[in-house]
Amino acid sequence: TNSSDLSFKLSYYNEYKSYLRMGCDVIKFKLKSDELVMFVVMCVYAVICPFNKVEESFNTQAIHDVIYKTKYIYYYDHITFPGVVPRTFVGALAVAMPTALINYVTSCSKYLTHQIARFILAFYVTWCFSTFRRATKNVFGTQVGNFLLLLTCSQFHFMFYASRTLPNTFGMCCALMTMSHWFNRDWDGFLWWSGLGVLIFRSELMILLGPMLLLLVIDVHKEHGPQQNH
């Protein structure tokens, strides 16, 4: 009985090891000083221009409702005014949860809460980009990774929109993580992050990630196909 219980626990762990790996990546990850510069620049843009674009309004309102309307889901804006195109609540929830905790502790104004939410999103983007940059350094060398960070920090578009609650921003995080796992040849992580990005945030990511998956299938077939024939 003990051996069967042990076998069940091992199979359960193996089935969900991808979830555990993703969680450990978040916990163990630490930003370096040069990567912190990127985060600071993103926050500066958020402070200089705190206003919303129209496309940001859904996620901004969703973050507001999670923080201030809490369990009264019936009064959430996405139910009262659902709009023409259904949109996911996952990205807004990922930003709203830590923001709500900070708001509960500090009792700050809605304006500052909005800024905190943007800072948290900017941190998510910095984390994803830094993971991608480190994977790039592993494949192409330190110099390429350093120039990647320098060029990205010196341009406006990426740094400005990194703190904006656009669906594209959440999809970009998934795309960066997907390509990071691709460079590291971690196929489980590649499949999980690409599925998350395509199915939840931006379906058109399949145009970018689909050929990568096709190359993976061809590569696996080349490695294991001849052995099966023998």
Side-chain angles (χ1 to χ4, degrees):
T1 305
N2 293 334
S3 61
S4 62
D5 291 341
L6 179 61
S7 300
F8 174 76
K9 291 179 180 179
L10 289 175
S11 62
Y12 184 85
Y13 170 76
N14 290 331
E15 183 178 357
Y16 292 96
K17 64 181 180 179
S18 297
Y19 291 112
L20 296 174
R21 183 183 293 113
M22 291 168 63
C24 291
D25 287 345
V26 175
I27 294 171
K28 295 180 180 179
F29 188 85
K30 294 181 180 179
L31 292 178
K32 297 181 180 179
S33 57
D34 52 356
E35 294 164 346
L36 282 174
V37 172
M38 167 177 277
F39 174 68
V40 171
V41 174
M42 293 176 182
C43 293
V44 169
Y45 278 127
V47 172
I48 293 175
C49 185
F51 309 106
N52 267 341
K53 285 185 64 177
V54 174
E55 293 87 348
E56 293 179 69
S57 59
F58 176 85
N59 284 313
T60 300
Q61 187 65 50
I63 293 170
H64 170 275
D65 291 345
V66 171
I67 297 173
Y68 293 102
K69 297 182 181 178
T70 58
K71 63 182 180 181
Y72 301 103
I73 300 177
Y74 181 79
Y75 297 104
Y76 279 25
D77 185 75
H78 78 285
I79 292 179
T80 307
F81 303 101
V84 178
V85 180
R87 297 183 182 272
T88 179
F89 213 76
V90 175
L93 189 62
V95 174
M97 291 177 66
T99 307
L101 179 61
I102 297 173
N103 181 72
Y104 177 79
V105 174
T106 61
S107 299
C108 55
S109 66
K110 286 190 176 183
Y111 173 80
L112 290 178
T113 302
H114 183 208
Q115 291 295 75
I116 291 170
R118 283 195 165 157
F119 295 160
I120 290 173
L121 179 56
F123 175 79
Y124 288 159
V125 174
T126 305
W127 173 65
C128 294
F129 179 84
S130 299
T131 304
F132 172 69
R133 178 212 177 191
R134 295 179 190 188
T136 304
K137 289 173 66 175
N138 293 336
V139 176
F140 301 105
T142 302
Q143 189 175 21
V144 173
N146 292 338
F147 271 104
L148 174 63
L149 178 65
L150 178 63
L151 290 174
T152 305
C153 286
S154 62
Q155 59 137 327
F156 170 79
H157 191 272
F158 180 91
M159 304 298 290
F160 179 83
Y161 283 103
S163 62
R164 312 289 154 171
T165 55
L166 296 164
N168 288 348
T169 306
F170 296 107
M172 179 183 64
C173 290
C174 295
L176 288 171
M177 293 301 297
T178 300
M179 290 187 287
S180 302
H181 288 288
W182 171 268
F183 282 145
N184 291 328
R185 300 186 68 82
D186 178 8
W187 307 131
D188 288 340
F190 169 80
L191 292 174
W192 280 111
W193 281 104
S194 60
L196 182 68
V198 171
L199 297 177
I200 295 181
F201 293 112
R202 304 297 300 189
S203 59
E204 61 267 33
L205 275 174
M206 67 178 69
I207 300 174
L208 171 66
L209 305 179
M212 298 172 67
L213 178 60
L214 180 61
L215 290 174
L216 171 60
V217 172
I218 295 174
D219 188 45
V220 171
H221 178 73
K222 288 182 178 179
E223 290 182 1
H224 300 284
Q227 296 179 2
Q228 294 177 355
N229 292 335
H230 287 298

